[in-house]
Amino acid sequence: VTFFPDVLTLPAGGSATFFCNISMENDSGSEYSLNWYKEINHSQAQKIAEISRNNPQTETEKYLLTNYTPAFKIEILNLHQNDSGSYYCGLITFFEPDKVMESSRSRLVVTAAPEKTNATDEPEVEEGNSPDLIKAVILGILLLAGAVVLLIFGYLTVTYSRGDVQKPRSENLPAEEKRPVVSVSTVDYGVLQFQQDQCTQIPSETRPVDQTEYAIIVFPEEKPVTPERGKKHQD
């Protein structure tokens, strides 16, 4: 009776498969049974399953046994870490004399369940990249806001420059260079003479004592006197 493979290392949640081969010198059609054992604490053996010669398959919640005479297969389903241990098979024949033959031991090591598969890891990768995505979005918003501020500043600058060009030159001059317009009232003095008729002379005896003559004086329209004109006038 042989048992293989010698060692199996599998993750929890899977299944383990062992094979047990038997070889009989004289197969006279006698009945036999194949038992499966698990060794506990390296000394005590526990029977876990059984299959007879004429039974093609036996299934329980934990084990699936299949008869491929002279080979028999056992599958340990839904592995847990406490399934780790040594396994072997034993052949029991029912003819004279009764005989029991055991196979060698094989080792099963059940490791912890694997991490999530790639398909389920993808959201975690995306979550891991979410801070970078948020940073990129914030940076894009800041750049857009900066561009809008620059456009507004440029528009205001151009508008203000055009407003300065359209204003009169005197308004664009600095406050110190603006020339105030001063209205100065002036008084001009002169001599008003009346011409007498030289041809006709009235004797002094006949001239009236009081004689009043009238004249109309027309002054031209005055213009505001600037400091320059006032200076020239004073000169």
Side-chain angles (χ1 to χ4, degrees), residues 212-225:
T212 303
E213 297 183 1
Y214 297 92
I216 297 174
I217 303 173
V218 179
F219 295 95
E221 182 179 358
E222 294 184 358
K223 296 181 179 180
V225 179

Side-chain angles (χ1 to χ4, degrees), residues 82 95 118 141 145 176 188 196 210 215:
N82 58 4
F95 57 87
N118 294 335
I141 293 174
E176 296 179 359
D188 293 335
Q196 297 181 356
D210 294 329

Side-chain angles (χ1 to χ4, degrees), residues 22 24 26-34 50-55 67 72 91-99 101:
I22 63 173
M24 301 180 66
N26 296 319
D27 188 3
S28 59
S30 59
E31 293 294 329
Y32 59 85
S33 175
L34 195 66
E50 177 184 0
I51 188 171
S52 63
R53 172 180 178 177
N54 299 322
N55 192 353
N67 185 349
F72 294 83
L91 176 64
I92 302 175
T93 58
F94 303 105
F95 57 87
E96 293 296 338
D98 292 344
K99 190 173 184 180
M101 293 177 290

Side-chain angles (χ1 to χ4, degrees), residues 6 18 29 34 57 60 77 88 114 116 120 124 128 146 151 160 163 182 201 209-210 218 230:
D6 295 334
F18 289 100
L34 195 66
Q57 190 177 66
T60 64
L77 309 175
Y88 65 96
K116 295 180 180 180
T120 56
E124 294 182 359
L151 288 175
Y160 181 76
V182 181
Q201 297 185 356
V209 178
D210 294 329
V218 179

Side-chain angles (χ1 to χ4, degrees), residues 10-13 38 62 78-85 87 107-113:
L10 297 169
K38 177 182 179 183
K62 185 67 176 178
N78 191 20
L79 291 175
H80 294 84
Q81 287 186 305
N82 58 4
D83 290 326
S84 299
Y87 292 83
R107 180 73 179 169
L108 173 63
V109 179
V110 181
T111 60

Side-chain angles (χ1 to χ4, degrees), residues 142-214:
L142 293 177
L143 291 177
L144 181 60
V148 172
V149 171
L150 290 177
L151 288 175
I152 295 174
F153 180 75
Y155 174 77
L156 294 177
T157 304
V158 172
T159 304
Y160 181 76
S161 300
R162 289 181 179 176
D164 287 347
V165 172
Q166 293 175 358
K167 290 181 180 180
R169 183 176 181 274
S170 60
E171 295 183 7
N172 292 331
L173 292 175
E176 296 179 359
E177 297 181 3
K178 289 185 178 180
R179 299 174 180 177
V181 178
V182 181
S183 178
V184 181
S185 300
T186 60
V187 179
D188 293 335
Y189 296 91
V191 180
L192 181 63
Q193 296 180 353
F194 297 91
Q195 295 182 358
Q196 297 181 356
D197 189 358
Q198 297 179 359
C199 298
T200 304
Q201 297 185 356
I202 300 175
S204 59
E205 295 85 10
T206 61
R207 182 179 301 171
V209 178
D210 294 329
Q211 185 177 0
T212 303
E213 297 183 1
Y214 297 92

